[in-house]
Amino acid sequence: MKQRIFFYAFLMLLSSCKLPSHENTGSPHEELESVFNSYYEDRMRLFPLEATSNGDYRYNDKLPVDFTNEYRDTLKRFFSGHLAQIKKFNRQNLLENDGISYDIFKREMETSLSGFEFPDNYMPFNQFVALPLTMAQLGSGDGNQPFKSVKDYTDWQKRVSGFASWMDSAIVYFRKGAASGFVLPKILVERMIPQMRAMETNDPTTSIFYGPVKKMPASFSDGEKDKISETYRRMIVGQIVPAYKNMGNFLENEYLSKARTAAGFSALPGGDKQYNYLIQLWTTTNKTPEEIYDIGISEVTRIRNEMGKIKNETGFKQNLDSFFQFMKKDKKFMPYKSVGEVLAAFRDIQKTIDPNLHKMFGRVPKTPFEIRQTEAFRAASASAEYSQGSPDGSRPGIFYIPILNASTFNTTSGMESLFLHEAIPGHHYQISLQQENDSLPKFRRFAWYGAYGEGWALYCESLGKELGLYTDPYQHTGALGDEIHRAIRLVVDVGIHHKGWSREQAIKYMMENEAISEDGAIAEIERYMAIPAQALSYKLGAMKIRELRNKYQRQQGSSFNLSAFHDAFLKDGCMPLDVVEKKMDEWAR
């Protein structure tokens, strides 16, 4: 999963947000472009961490508290003002691409405003989406925050100066949530405590936040290096470690006892309504929880039948569940002795597909690409994920793989399909091509819709055979395992948040229907508990893309060009599913 977003954007507070007026002095295109440009500029000031992620480094020293009621009021004014601006335009008078921008923008403003109905700021972070974890990634020197100049080092120091206030305010809002019954599940809090404790140290030079000091550019003078080293040691000891320690103490000694035992959102005040909102947000559809649950059950059955056929082809005589256990436990599927061997295996997958990519894509990204191991401090709670590169190519797109123990890393876990999804041609192609397309308004170059982005990545898993993969029956089973995993998500996410399933019930269902370890199932289910409905976007989005491809193949027959289809789909970047279907129908005419 990807650090982008999501959804994952950390919303930042401006002390004031004055929206510019827009005089109707130019063409409709120019006037609309002015609205979009002002929105993006305002947004980057409001969301400085998002700006950093986008390669806009003007606000690298900013870290306002991002969840207070005052902040939400500022955001309401921000979105309301821009919604009023977009409504001044007549949709019928706009050209095609401007019309698409209009549809996306208006929907984004309306959806954002609807979200303020719910007090999600009473749960400021969890074990999966957390500024305290993001700060460690940024502060390591290997993340989005640049450390190339003395100013970069000073910017980070200033950003860190607001971290203690952020953490203190988080405690205040966790307490507000506890007083109103809006609290995290107990098991998630138990996961958060060691994450905070991992940042405590008596020796600042052993802290992950000391990483930039160890990597200072050779161009720095000795005096600059000495000053930065001393400043960062004091910063770690005096600001960073106390903030994590204070939060760890609060979570362990106060909040844990008030956390809820129920797994899902239905246990929260207004939780059912909020879950329906999150479904619309993440899937960009109006599907009900029951509809999604039924699709999941149907897809699980279909994919299990496909897996059964492959099992029989391998000569395995026992049932499918026994086949899963065989794939999970047999030592021949765990051949690696080191992290380097695991990473090399993923690089070999890239070499295999390279010759076939040009047949399926006319446009490829310029952004560099790397494969890395997930940092140790977050690996236990992390899934494999893609971290976007910068539009100018100065920071590569990175495929992160959590490797807790190389000797137990299983080749049948869907390595090939995982690479197609998180790396190439999945997230790396889609996100990089979108960011590199400077003909799009900036708000679209850096937009994210899970059903489109995750749907595309899951669709890419289905291209394995066309790209020269899935020749081994166990790897093919692993790929089907990844597909059924996304179908299972439709069942367990709705089960947890709508049907009242327990965490244990969801883990049991997952383990009964795919070849996943208990630890893997636990991490997945707890992720869905932390970010409701996000996991629904993958399968529903992929099904829509496959539906469109099949429709145009039927319509166009032998003239259908798969490369042209892929290029057209990716050309205009992320958008809601109904908008992309309308766009693609126009393309196919």
Side-chain angles (χ1 to χ4, degrees), residues 32 35-36 82-83 86-87 89-112 284 441 443-444 447 449 574-584 586:
L32 193 64
V35 173
F36 297 152
H82 285 95
L83 178 60
I86 198 69
K87 284 183 175 180
F89 294 88
N90 186 335
R91 172 67 173 81
Q92 302 304 316
N93 294 338
L94 300 176
L95 298 176
E96 179 184 1
N97 199 44
D98 283 344
I100 292 174
S101 295
Y102 176 98
D103 292 340
I104 296 171
F105 190 88
K106 183 172 179 289
R107 184 183 189 133
E108 181 72 14
M109 300 306 102
E110 292 171 342
T111 302
S112 297
T284 64
F443 89 91
R444 284 177 59 187
Y449 289 91
C574 258
M575 59 186 71
L577 292 183
D578 57 341
V579 179
V580 76
E581 181 168 13
K582 181 179 178 182
K583 183 201 85 160
M584 292 302 294
E586 290 293 325

Side-chain angles (χ1 to χ4, degrees), residues 16-155:
S16 63
C17 179
K18 183 178 180 182
L19 297 175
S21 61
H22 301 282
E23 299 292 337
N24 292 334
T25 58
S27 69
H29 171 79
E30 292 171 340
E31 294 162 11
L32 193 64
E33 187 175 34
S34 178
V35 173
F36 297 152
N37 287 340
S38 72
Y39 168 79
Y40 184 80
E41 289 300 311
D42 290 342
R43 185 179 179 93
M44 291 304 96
R45 289 192 295 271
L46 279 165
F47 311 151
L49 285 178
E50 182 180 327
T52 299
S53 177
N54 290 353
D56 181 348
Y57 300 145
R58 292 174 294 172
Y59 311 108
N60 280 3
D61 59 340
K62 306 299 182 187
L63 188 70
V65 178
D66 65 354
F67 47 78
T68 65
N69 291 331
E70 293 80 7
Y71 160 77
R72 286 160 70 92
D73 288 341
T74 297
L75 280 185
K76 289 175 188 177
R77 293 192 297 272
F78 170 67
F79 290 117
S80 296
H82 285 95
L83 178 60
Q85 290 293 338
I86 198 69
K87 284 183 175 180
K88 294 179 180 179
F89 294 88
N90 186 335
R91 172 67 173 81
Q92 302 304 316
N93 294 338
L94 300 176
L95 298 176
E96 179 184 1
N97 199 44
D98 283 344
I100 292 174
S101 295
Y102 176 98
D103 292 340
I104 296 171
F105 190 88
K106 183 172 179 289
R107 184 183 189 133
E108 181 72 14
M109 300 306 102
E110 292 171 342
T111 302
S112 297
L113 286 168
S114 297
F116 293 118
E117 179 180 347
F118 310 106
D120 51 359
N121 58 331
Y122 285 176
M123 300 187 293
F125 70 94
N126 53 55
Q127 92 290 2
F128 198 82
V129 182
L131 179 66
L133 300 185
T134 299
M135 287 294 285
Q137 284 183 283
L138 296 175
S140 69
D142 292 325
N144 297 332
Q145 186 94 16
F147 290 94
K148 297 179 180 179
S149 68
V150 172
K151 182 181 183 301
D152 288 340
Y153 280 78
T154 302
D155 281 346

Side-chain angles (χ1 to χ4, degrees), residues 517-528:
S517 67
E518 184 175 10
D519 287 344
I522 289 171
E524 287 293 323
I525 295 303
E526 290 175 359
R527 166 184 166 178
Y528 313 150

Side-chain angles (χ1 to χ4, degrees), residues 139 156-157 160 199-213 228-244:
W156 176 246
Q157 178 191 350
V160 166
M199 301 303 165
E200 297 179 21
T201 179
N202 294 321
D203 180 359
T205 64
T206 65
S207 170
I208 190 171
F209 290 93
Y210 200 70
V213 178
I228 289 171
S229 299
E230 176 60 24
T231 298
Y232 273 53
R233 284 195 293 269
R234 284 190 281 106
M235 178 180 73
I236 292 167
V237 172
Q239 298 178 54
I240 294 174
V241 170
Y244 282 105

Side-chain angles (χ1 to χ4, degrees), residues 272 275-277 279-280 283 285-296 490 493-494 498-499 536 540:
D272 287 332
Y275 185 54
N276 281 315
Y277 165 78
I279 288 175
Q280 293 179 350
T283 72
T285 73
N286 293 317
K287 293 186 183 300
T288 67
E290 291 295 338
E291 287 176 315
I292 293 170
Y293 182 87
D294 290 344
I295 291 171
L490 304 184
D493 198 277
V494 173
H498 177 70
K499 291 180 173 291
L536 306 177
L540 296 179

Side-chain angles (χ1 to χ4, degrees), residues 133-391:
L133 300 185
T134 299
M135 287 294 285
Q137 284 183 283
L138 296 175
S140 69
D142 292 325
N144 297 332
Q145 186 94 16
F147 290 94
K148 297 179 180 179
S149 68
V150 172
K151 182 181 183 301
D152 288 340
Y153 280 78
T154 302
D155 281 346
W156 176 246
Q157 178 191 350
K158 291 178 179 178
R159 179 164 269 178
V160 166
S161 68
F163 184 51
S165 295
W166 194 99
M167 294 285 259
D168 288 344
S169 297
I171 290 174
V172 171
Y173 275 78
F174 273 130
R175 284 174 174 154
K176 287 178 182 286
S180 61
F182 208 88
V183 292
L184 289 167
K186 188 179 297 290
I187 187 64
L188 302 194
V189 182
E190 291 175 356
R191 302 296 186 223
M192 294 158 66
I193 293 168
Q195 290 175 338
M196 301 302 104
R197 299 302 188 203
M199 301 303 165
E200 297 179 21
T201 179
N202 294 321
D203 180 359
T205 64
T206 65
S207 170
I208 190 171
F209 290 93
Y210 200 70
V213 178
K214 298 176 181 178
K215 304 167 188 173
M216 277 190 281
S219 60
F220 286 11
S221 69
D222 290 342
E224 289 169 335
K225 290 180 180 178
D226 290 343
K227 182 178 179 180
I228 289 171
S229 299
E230 176 60 24
T231 298
Y232 273 53
R233 284 195 293 269
R234 284 190 281 106
M235 178 180 73
I236 292 167
V237 172
Q239 298 178 54
I240 294 174
V241 170
Y244 282 105
K245 186 173 184 178
N246 189 36
M247 178 59 73
N249 290 341
F250 165 74
L251 293 174
E252 185 171 3
N253 300 327
E254 180 179 337
Y255 191 73
L256 181 61
S257 64
K258 300 175 181 178
R260 72 180 194 261
T261 56
F265 257 43
S266 59
L268 297 175
D272 287 332
K273 187 175 182 181
Q274 184 170 3
Y275 185 54
N276 281 315
Y277 165 78
L278 292 171
I279 288 175
Q280 293 179 350
L281 175 72
W282 280 108
T283 72
T284 64
T285 73
N286 293 317
K287 293 186 183 300
T288 67
E290 291 295 338
E291 287 176 315
I292 293 170
Y293 182 87
D294 290 344
I295 291 171
I297 293 292
S298 176
E299 282 293 285
V300 167
T301 300
R302 178 187 66 80
I303 299 166
R304 277 185 67 93
N305 289 336
E306 291 296 314
M307 298 170 87
K309 293 176 184 177
I310 296 177
K311 174 192 76 72
N312 294 337
E313 291 171 3
T314 67
F316 192 87
K317 301 300 183 183
Q318 300 177 52
N319 63 22
L320 190 58
D321 290 339
S322 297
F323 190 55
F324 290 162
Q325 293 300 316
F326 165 66
M327 291 175 61
K328 281 193 292 186
K329 296 180 179 179
D330 196 287
K331 291 298 182 182
K332 74 177 180 179
F333 300 125
M334 293 172 256
Y336 306 118
K337 296 181 175 63
S338 69
V339 168
E341 289 182 359
V342 177
L343 298 179
F346 279 104
R347 294 188 182 102
D348 286 341
I349 294 171
Q350 183 178 358
K351 293 175 184 176
T352 298
I353 68 173
D354 274 347
N356 296 309
L357 285 170
H358 75 276
K359 303 174 185 176
M360 302 177 71
F361 295 90
R363 298 172 64 244
V364 298
K366 300 174 184 176
T367 303
F369 169 77
E370 292 183 8
I371 302 171
R372 296 183 190 174
Q373 179 185 12
T374 303
E375 306 95 335
F377 75 89
R378 65 187 185 94
S381 295
S383 302
E385 64 189 4
Y386 176 75
S387 178
Q388 67 199 55
S390 58

